[in-house]
């Protein structure tokens, strides 16, 4: 199926499916209606006179003259009762995170402002790692890609306000102060893209401030004596029907990294042919600014227009020193130069992303609603590096320069029509269009000569994504609620260089069903069930990319490139969850899932001819079928729920266990790439009685694991243990002081890889230091 063959029949099928559910519900509704019709009629007759009296009395207040000429014909008792009913006060309360979670038909976890602020984290990624089934790549304190259900990078969909963020966006660069809440959705829904095999994380930027609240936060982070200031401010206000919230943050930090690695080449018989030891030290400084204002205007008709710009700029400079020792000290077989003993590098990066999202809502008289959204963005990313390499005797061997300039543009448009059907259903249909364009020019020179064939050429790449969907939420009965959704999504990728053009078109059809059963006589307990279809589209850099050159090229340090023939991974999944809700806004849950994945994408390393020599190159390929499954356990509660006389302690804990297997890779560790076997969190918050003081902490644990990525390649990741603690003083209702410490244990982070080819085993082990970060934050409301 191509992008041109637009599947209108999908929309027709979806609507017919939705109305099939509608017919079923209306059938039940008709039966219930016949039973209650007489009671309803009697009630209406009894209330008719009282309602008429209230209406006449209201008119009398507005027009006293009319009141005198047309007195109300009722007895004194009725008149007094009517007068007493004139003033009605309705008090509404905002739903808590737990309420939002329970009332959602599709399973999700809500992380609100209280949780975002609790531990004083610098980045959103530090918050997410404590959630059930969520892990982060890389070492503690340095961030990495966010992963759900143990699956590697690319399986988790990241959205900002329901939209795909611009290329180059990093969650680690987003301050929690700019976020209103985070929604973690385990299963896809038709409204959003189904590129979410592991799940979706939707970051909702801050909004809906009361005009009197000005939030000001100043933080100082300290790592190895380096001070990292951070200032965040939100200024809300109102001009007539225009509400606005001007939010922004600015930061600066400095970091020092130290790591060692050992590379060994040996034969199957155990004879060592080469040993390389490397020590890397890096000093890095970065500054950044984020602006996330929001403007909302309400028209007299009740329509609402919202504009939300998003601007992010970051700059960084790094200096790196690498020292290498090698035995035996044999010359490079291609260049015939002596081995590198010392390398000094300097690099700079400057990135700017801007996006404007607009949202217009129109409500019809029949309570239907039409939402139209338009958004666009531009991005600029420039980087350069200069690496000078020396031999053991101090002789300069070569100078490697790399200059990369990237420009991105994007545009998106979509709409959603929502209408209730009776009082039990909510039907929605909509569309999404997204287009993006990238222009990249990269010049890589080794002693003035190009490092790869296309060095200096322009790469142009574009993607077009079109989707239509329909979804229906229905309350079948007091116990049952269901969600049915259908989504068709097509993606077209085009890229060109000086010597070739690549076009790739794919489309995916995703039916989705969610159900909730509320167990009678068990309070708020309920069971969730889901049948979903989702997919993982190849990243643009995996389809077509300028090669990433490794200065010390080898089987464990290969170059990286793309594959224009990649197809998307397709997944079908089942989820079953039990949720037990406690009286004190707590929850205990168990979630089981199984995912079948086809067209699995894996990266393979091989030696290929490049120019006049051979280089090790790593590229992605589709290899076949895989299955992933797991169980996620969670508990959030107050200790006084079970021990009323005990201390005021809030407990947050979760544990996840994962299994997976890849058919086309031999065991025993043929799991999905980068998937750990398990992960766990334990967090406590203690509120001191008779004092405005709260203590808390969290332990995050992921054991060491090995992945067999192919029959000849393995990767290993060491144990991750991270202990975080905080203390919060509430001096005044408008003033808070928070002291936090992240990664108190600061254990070394271990990783490694191996490759066996032609009787030679290439082994590499890495050790990187991690550091404790202290953060002092003052929070004011003016």
């Amino acid at each position: 199926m191509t992008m041109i063959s637009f599947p209108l029949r999908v929309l027709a099928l979806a609507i017919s499916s939705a109305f099939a559910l509608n017919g079923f519900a209306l059938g039940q509704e008709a039966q219930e209606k016949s039973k209650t019709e007489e009671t309803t009629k009697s009630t209406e007759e009894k209330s008719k006179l009282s309602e008429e009296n209230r209406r006449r009395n209201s008119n009398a207040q507005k027009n006293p003259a009319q009141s005198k000429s047309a007195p109300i014909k009722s007895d004194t008792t009725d008149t007094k009762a009517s007068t007493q009913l004139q003033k009605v006060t309705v008090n509404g309360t905002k739903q808590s995170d737990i309420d939002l979670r329970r009332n959602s038909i599709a399973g999700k976890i809500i992380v609100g402002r209280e949780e975002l602020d609790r531990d004083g984290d610098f980045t959103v990624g530090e918050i997410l790692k404590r959630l059930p089934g969520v892990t982060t790549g890389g070492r503690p304190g340095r961030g990495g890609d966010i992963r759900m259900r143990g699956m590697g990078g690319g399986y988790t969909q990241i959205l900002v306000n329901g939209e795909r963020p611009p290329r180059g966006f990093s969650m680690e660069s987003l301050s929690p102060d700019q976020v209103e809440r985070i929604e973690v959705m385990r299963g896809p829904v038709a409204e959003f893209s189904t590129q979410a095999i592991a799940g979706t994380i939707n970051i909702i930027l801050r909004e809906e401030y009361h005009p009197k609240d000005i939030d000001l936060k100043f933080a100082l982070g300290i790592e190895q004596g380096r001070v990292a200031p951070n200032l965040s401010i939100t200024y809300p206000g109102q001009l007539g029907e225009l509400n606005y919230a001007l939010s922004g943050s600015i930061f600066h930090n400095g970091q020092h990294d130290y790591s060692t690695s050992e590379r060994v080449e040996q034969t199957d018989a155990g004879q060592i042919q080469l040993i390389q030891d490397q020590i890397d030290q890096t000093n890095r400084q970065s500054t950044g600014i984020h602006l996330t204002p929001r403007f909302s205007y309400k028209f007299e008709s009740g329509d609402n227009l919202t504009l939300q710009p998003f601007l992010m700029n970051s700059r960084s400079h790094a200096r790196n020193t690498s020292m290498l020792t090698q035995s035996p000290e044999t010359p490079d077989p291609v260049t015939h130069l002596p081995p590198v003993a010392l390398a000094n590098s300097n690099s700079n990066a400057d990135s700017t992303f801007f996006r404007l999202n607009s949202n217009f809502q129109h409500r019809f008289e029949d309570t239907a609603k039409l939402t139209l959204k338009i958004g666009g963005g531009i991005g600029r990313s420039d980087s350069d590096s200069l690496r000078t390499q020396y031999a053991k005797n101090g002789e300069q061997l070569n100078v490697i320069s790399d200059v990369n300039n990237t420009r991105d543009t994007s545009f998106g448009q979509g709409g959603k029509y929502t209408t209730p059907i009776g009082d039990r259903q909510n039907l929605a249909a909509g569309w999404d269009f997204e287009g993006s364009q990238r222009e990249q020019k990269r010049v890589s020179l080794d002693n003035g000569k190009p490092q790869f064939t296309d060095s200096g050429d322009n790469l142009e790449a574009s993607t077009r994504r079109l989707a239509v969907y329909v979804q229906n939420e229905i309350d079948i009965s007091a116990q049952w609620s269901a969600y049915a959704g259908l989504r068709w999504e097509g993606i077209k990728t085009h890229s060109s260089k000086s010597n070739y053009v690549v076009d790739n078109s794919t489309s995916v059809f995703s039916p989705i069903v969610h159900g909730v059963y509320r167990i009678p006589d068990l309070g708020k307990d309920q069971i969730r069930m889901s049948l979903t279809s989702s997919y993982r589209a190849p990243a643009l850099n995996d389809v077509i990319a300028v090669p990433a050159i490794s200065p010390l090229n080898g089987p464990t340090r290969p170059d990286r490139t793309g594959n224009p023939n990649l197809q998307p991974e397709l997944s079908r999944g089942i989820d079953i969850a039990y949720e037990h809700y406690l009286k004190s806004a707590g929850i205990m849950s168990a979630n089981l899932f199984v995912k079948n994945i086809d067209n699995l994408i894996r990266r393979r390393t091989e030696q290929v001819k490049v120019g006049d020599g051979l280089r090790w190159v790593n590229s992605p390929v589709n290899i076949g079928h895989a299955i992933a499954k797991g169980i996620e356990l969670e508990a959030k509660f107050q200790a006084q729920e079970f021990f009323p006389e005990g201390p005021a302690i809030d407990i947050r804990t979760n544990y996840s266990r994962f299994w997976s297997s890849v058919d086309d890779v031999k065991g025993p560790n043929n799991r999905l790439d980068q998937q750990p076997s398990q992960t766990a969190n334990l967090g406590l918050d203690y509120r001191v009685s008779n004092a405005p003081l709260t203590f808390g902490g969290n332990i995050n644990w992921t054991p060491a694991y090995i992945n067999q990525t192919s029959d000849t390649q393995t990767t290993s990741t060491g144990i991750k243990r991270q202990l975080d603690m905080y203390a919060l003083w509430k001096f005044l209702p408008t003033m808070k002081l928070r002291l936090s410490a992240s990664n108190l244990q600061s254990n070394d982070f271990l990783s490694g890889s191996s490759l066996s080819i032609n009787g030679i085993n290439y082994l590499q082990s890495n050790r990187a230091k991690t550091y404790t970060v202290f953060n002092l934050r003052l929070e004011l409301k003016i």
Side-chain angles (χ1 to χ4, degrees):
M1 187 182 300
T2 64
M3 288 286 292
I4 299 176
S5 59
F6 183 78
L8 291 177
R9 56 185 178 181
V10 171
L11 188 58
L13 176 61
I15 294 175
S16 64
S17 299
F19 278 99
L21 280 175
N22 177 32
F24 173 72
L26 292 179
Q28 283 198 343
E29 188 174 342
Q31 293 179 5
E32 295 176 3
K33 183 177 180 181
S34 64
K35 296 178 181 179
T36 59
E37 186 174 346
E38 293 183 0
T39 303
T40 302
K41 183 177 180 180
S42 176
T43 304
E44 289 177 349
E45 291 176 348
K46 291 179 181 179
S47 62
K48 187 175 181 180
L49 178 60
S50 179
E51 179 63 29
E52 180 69 15
N53 287 333
R54 284 194 297 268
R55 186 174 66 253
R56 290 183 178 180
N57 192 58
S58 177
N59 292 335
Q61 287 183 332
K62 295 178 182 178
N63 192 343
Q66 180 180 352
S67 175
K68 293 180 181 179
S69 61
I72 300 174
K73 297 180 180 180
S74 62
D75 60 29
T76 306
T77 305
D78 290 339
T79 303
K80 291 181 179 181
S82 175
T83 304
Q84 293 174 355
L85 291 173
Q86 290 173 28
K87 185 176 180 180
V88 179
T89 302
V90 179
N91 294 321
T93 58
K94 184 178 179 180
Q95 291 191 83
S96 66
D97 297 343
I98 293 292
D99 291 334
L100 290 171
R101 174 173 177 173
R102 181 177 182 272
N103 294 331
S104 172
I105 298 179
K108 66 171 63 174
I109 299 172
I110 307 294
V111 183
R113 281 306 318 166
E114 182 179 353
E115 218 166 329
L116 290 169
D117 287 333
R118 182 179 54 223
D119 294 286
D121 298 298
F122 263 128
T123 67
V124 173
E126 289 294 300
I127 298 169
L128 291 173
K129 75 176 186 293
R130 306 185 187 105
L131 301 180
V134 177
T135 56
T136 57
R139 50 184 160 158
R142 291 296 180 264
D145 56 334
I146 303 299
R147 307 165 183 175
M148 292 179 63
R149 298 185 157 178
M151 300 184 187
Y155 286 99
T156 300
Q157 177 175 232
I158 306 296
L159 302 176
V160 177
N161 285 346
E163 303 286 341
R164 197 178 306 278
R167 275 196 205 105
F169 172 83
S170 172
M171 191 178 295
E172 290 301 315
S173 65
L174 185 61
S175 169
D177 294 331
Q178 304 304 310
V179 179
E180 176 68 18
R181 68 181 184 277
I182 299 174
E183 298 177 348
V184 182
M185 294 176 280
R186 287 169 167 157
V189 292
E191 181 177 354
F192 300 131
S193 174
T194 54
Q195 296 188 58
I197 292 180
T200 297
I201 295 176
N202 187 20
I203 303 171
I204 310 298
L205 300 180
R206 300 199 72 174
E207 58 183 23
E208 297 179 0
Y209 294 99
H210 193 281
K212 70 178 182 180
D213 293 334
I214 299 176
D215 287 343
L216 179 65
K217 297 181 181 180
F218 179 71
L220 285 177
I222 301 176
E223 178 183 322
Q224 297 178 279
R226 295 172 173 83
V227 179
N230 183 300
L231 176 64
S232 174
I233 186 171
T234 297
Y235 183 88
Q238 185 173 1
L239 294 173
E241 298 299 324
L242 176 66
N243 289 278
Y244 61 86
L246 307 179
S247 302
S249 63
I250 186 170
F251 65 88
H252 172 81
N253 62 46
Q255 296 174 334
H256 172 77
D257 290 331
Y258 180 92
S259 62
T260 62
S261 63
E262 181 185 51
R263 176 184 173 189
V264 177
E265 296 181 8
Q266 64 182 30
T267 65
D268 289 338
Q271 180 182 0
I272 295 178
Q273 296 185 335
L274 177 69
I275 297 178
Q276 284 184 338
D277 291 309
Q278 180 174 339
I279 299 175
D280 282 289
Q281 297 191 67
T282 302
N283 290 292
R284 182 187 309 104
Q285 290 187 338
S286 60
T287 58
I289 183 171
H290 297 160
L291 300 177
T292 55
R294 182 179 184 273
F295 306 90
S296 178
Y297 185 83
K298 188 173 183 180
F299 297 90
E300 292 182 0
S301 61
D303 294 348
N304 189 75
L305 175 65
T306 301
L307 298 176
Q308 186 151 28
F310 174 67
L311 174 65
M312 181 177 70
N313 174 262
S314 61
R315 299 181 180 183
S316 64
H317 173 72
R319 299 185 306 276
N320 174 268
T321 298
S322 298
M323 294 180 289
L324 294 89
T325 58
Q326 178 174 311
S327 177
E329 297 180 356
T330 56
D332 186 278
V334 177
T335 64
H336 306 292
L337 294 173
V340 176
L342 175 66
N344 293 321
S345 301
N346 284 277
S347 62
N348 300 282
D350 186 350
S351 299
T352 301
F353 299 101
F354 173 78
R355 184 170 181 88
L356 175 63
N357 291 327
S358 62
N359 185 294
F360 176 78
Q361 290 187 355
H362 171 71
R363 295 185 180 274
F364 298 91
E365 293 182 358
D366 60 353
T367 69
K369 182 174 68 174
L370 176 64
T371 301
L372 298 176
K373 56 183 181 180
I374 299 177
I378 56 176
R380 174 185 61 82
S381 180
D382 299 319
S383 64
D384 63 82
S385 65
L386 189 67
R387 179 184 174 97
T388 306
Q389 301 186 142
Y390 302 89
K392 186 176 181 180
N393 60 6
E395 175 189 359
Q396 180 176 307
L397 298 176
N398 58 346
V399 177
I400 301 174
S401 65
D402 189 287
V403 178
N404 190 352
N405 302 113
T406 303
R407 301 293 181 267
D408 287 304
T409 58
S410 62
F411 173 79
Q413 196 280 324
K416 177 184 175 183
Y417 177 76
T418 305
T419 181
I421 301 177
D423 58 355
R424 296 191 175 194
Q425 294 190 73
N426 195 31
L427 179 66
W431 72 95
D432 280 315
F433 171 78
E434 180 184 70
S436 63
Q437 176 80 25
R438 164 170 286 196
E439 295 181 0
Q440 182 178 8
K441 183 177 181 180
R442 184 172 181 182
V443 180
S444 297
L445 303 176
D446 186 343
N447 279 341
K449 297 180 180 180
Q451 281 193 282
F452 54 90
T453 305
D454 301 315
S455 177
D457 291 339
N458 286 328
L459 164 69
E460 294 184 359
S462 64
T463 59
R464 298 288 184 271
R465 184 173 62 88
L466 177 65
V468 291
Y469 66 89
V470 64
Q471 60 187 24
N472 190 21
E473 295 182 347
I474 175 173
D475 290 328
I476 300 173
S477 66
Q479 280 72 48
W480 283 98
S481 293
Y483 168 100
L486 295 170
R487 185 182 180 95
W488 176 88
E489 190 163 341
I491 300 176
K492 183 176 182 179
T493 302
H494 170 83
S495 59
S496 62
K497 288 186 183 179
S498 59
N499 56 348
Y500 67 82
V501 175
V502 176
D503 289 297
N504 194 346
S505 296
T506 58
S507 64
V508 178
F509 176 65
S510 303
I512 303 166
V513 177
H514 299 288
V516 176
Y517 175 67
R518 301 175 185 88
I519 306 173
D521 303 324
L522 284 181
K524 297 181 179 180
D525 288 12
Q526 58 189 22
I527 298 175
R528 295 186 180 274
M529 296 149 283
S530 299
L531 295 173
T532 59
S533 295
S534 55
Y535 75 103
R536 175 194 178 196
L540 184 63
N541 285 343
D542 284 340
V543 176
I544 178 63
V546 174
I549 303 301
S550 172
L552 301 174
N553 185 263
T556 56
R557 298 167 182 166
D559 301 339
R560 294 172 68 89
T561 189
N563 176 6
N565 298 315
L566 280 181
Q567 296 296 311
E569 297 182 12
L570 303 177
S571 172
R572 299 171 305 281
I574 299 175
D575 281 74
I576 299 177
Y578 181 87
E579 296 176 345
H580 172 59
Y581 290 87
L582 303 174
K583 295 180 180 179
S584 59
I587 183 174
M588 296 182 177
S589 68
N591 188 88
L592 292 86
F593 70 90
V594 178
K595 300 279 186 179
N596 272 295
I597 304 173
D598 293 316
N599 294 335
L600 185 71
I601 297 175
R602 272 286 170 87
R603 300 194 70 95
R604 294 288 174 83
T605 300
E606 58 183 353
Q607 199 172 30
V608 300
K609 187 174 183 180
V610 178
D612 297 330
L614 296 174
R615 293 187 70 86
W616 293 94
V617 178
N618 181 274
S619 60
V621 295
N622 293 105
I623 66 170
H625 173 264
I627 186 170
K629 51 191 175 181
I631 180 171
E632 296 162 322
L633 306 177
E634 179 189 12
K636 293 174 62 176
F637 58 91
Q638 297 176 358
Q640 291 178 339
E641 172 94 7
F642 304 99
F643 306 99
E645 303 301 323
I649 296 178
D650 294 343
I651 299 174
R652 300 166 278 108
T653 182
N654 57 74
Y655 171 78
S656 300
R657 181 73 168 89
F658 308 115
W659 298 268
S660 63
S661 61
V662 178
D663 290 353
D664 292 347
V665 177
K666 297 179 181 178
N669 297 307
N670 57 339
R671 295 196 299 272
L672 290 177
D673 191 22
Q674 306 172 44
Q675 185 190 50
S677 60
Q678 53 191 321
T679 184
N681 283 279
L682 174 62
L684 301 175
D685 305 297
Y686 172 59
R687 300 181 301 278
V688 179
S689 59
N690 302 321
L693 181 61
T694 303
F695 294 99
N698 189 89
I699 300 175
N700 176 266
W701 170 77
T702 304
Y705 59 94
I706 297 175
N707 288 145
Q708 187 79 34
T709 58
S710 73
D711 291 342
T712 60
Q713 295 174 252
T714 63
T715 61
S716 62
T717 303
I719 188 173
K720 291 175 71 172
R721 291 187 297 264
Q722 186 166 341
L723 173 62
D724 306 329
M725 299 189 71
Y726 76 92
L728 172 64
W729 292 268
K730 294 184 179 180
F731 297 105
L732 298 170
T734 58
M735 180 183 296
K736 302 177 184 178
L737 183 64
R738 190 185 310 267
L739 175 63
S740 63
S742 175
N743 193 31
L744 279 168
Q745 290 181 295
S746 60
N747 297 315
D748 290 352
F749 179 66
L750 307 178
S751 61
S753 61
S754 67
L755 176 66
S756 299
I757 297 180
N758 299 327
I760 305 296
N761 300 311
Y762 303 89
L763 309 174
Q764 178 161 323
S765 59
N766 310 302
R767 178 184 293 268
K769 288 188 174 298
T770 68
Y771 307 99
T772 300
V773 178
F774 295 95
N775 182 23
L776 182 65
R777 175 177 297 191
L778 177 64
E779 305 174 13
L780 299 174
K781 285 186 179 293
I782 302 173

